[in-house]
Amino acid sequence: MFKTIADPADCEVRSVIRFLNAKNVNPAEIHHQLVEIYDENVMTDGMVRKWVRHLNDGRSNVHHEARSGRPSVVNDGLVAKVNEKIRESSRFTIRMFCDEFPKISKTVLHEIVTNRSNYRKLCSSWIPKMLTDVH
């Protein structure tokens, strides 16, 4: 029995596929060996076959390719505007901010307030997570 490896990185599994494919091991056997070492949820047989096809077609990179996605609406200007509104009144709700910034979703506003501006809700007021002499 082999020692199992828990929680492998995706690129690690694809590197093993690349190595075994270079040794002319068929995809079914590659999948069998992956399941034997990692676990049965590591990668499906179909995905192994897909990666073998990619590698046979000339792909050599086993890392994720950069993809174009939706650009982030969060920028320094928006964070500054939200901080200005917070300083005007610490008794606000995210829903009230939705009225002030109608084109920004509640989720994005909440992310700006909690993660970018480092505020958290205490009773009914928003306070900075790390208090300074100014606060």
Side-chain angles (χ1 to χ4, degrees), residues 65-112:
E65 293 178 343
R67 294 189 252 173
S68 63
R70 186 174 185 180
S72 176
V73 295
V74 180
N75 57 32
D76 293 336
L78 181 61
V79 172
K81 288 178 187 176
V82 169
N83 279 333
E84 185 179 314
K85 287 291 180 187
I86 291 171
R87 286 190 198 99
E88 286 177 13
S89 170
S90 64
R91 293 185 181 267
F92 67 89
T93 62
I94 299 296
R95 185 162 294 184
M96 290 167 60
F97 271 10
C98 287
D99 296 336
E100 297 287 331
F101 304 97
K103 296 190 186 238
I104 310 298
S105 71
K106 283 193 292 189
T107 307
V108 172
L109 285 171
H110 188 269
E111 190 265 332
I112 290 171

Side-chain angles (χ1 to χ4, degrees), residues 114-125:
T114 57
N115 296 339
R116 297 287 293 267
S117 299
N118 289 323
Y119 282 89
R120 66 182 179 94
K121 194 78 163 179
L122 181 65
C123 295
S124 61
S125 295

Side-chain angles (χ1 to χ4, degrees), residues 11 13 32-33 42 56 64-65 73 95 108 120 125:
C11 61
V13 175
H32 177 72
Q33 290 185 29
V42 66
N56 288 338
H64 290 292
E65 293 178 343
V73 295
R95 185 162 294 184
V108 172
R120 66 182 179 94
S125 295

Side-chain angles (χ1 to χ4, degrees), residues 22-46:
K23 291 181 74 171
N24 292 323
V25 178
N26 67 13
E29 180 59 27
I30 292 173
H31 181 258
H32 177 72
Q33 290 185 29
L34 287 174
V35 168
E36 193 173 39
I37 296 298
Y38 296 106
D39 67 5
E40 61 184 60
N41 296 327
V42 66
M43 187 180 280
T44 64
D45 186 49

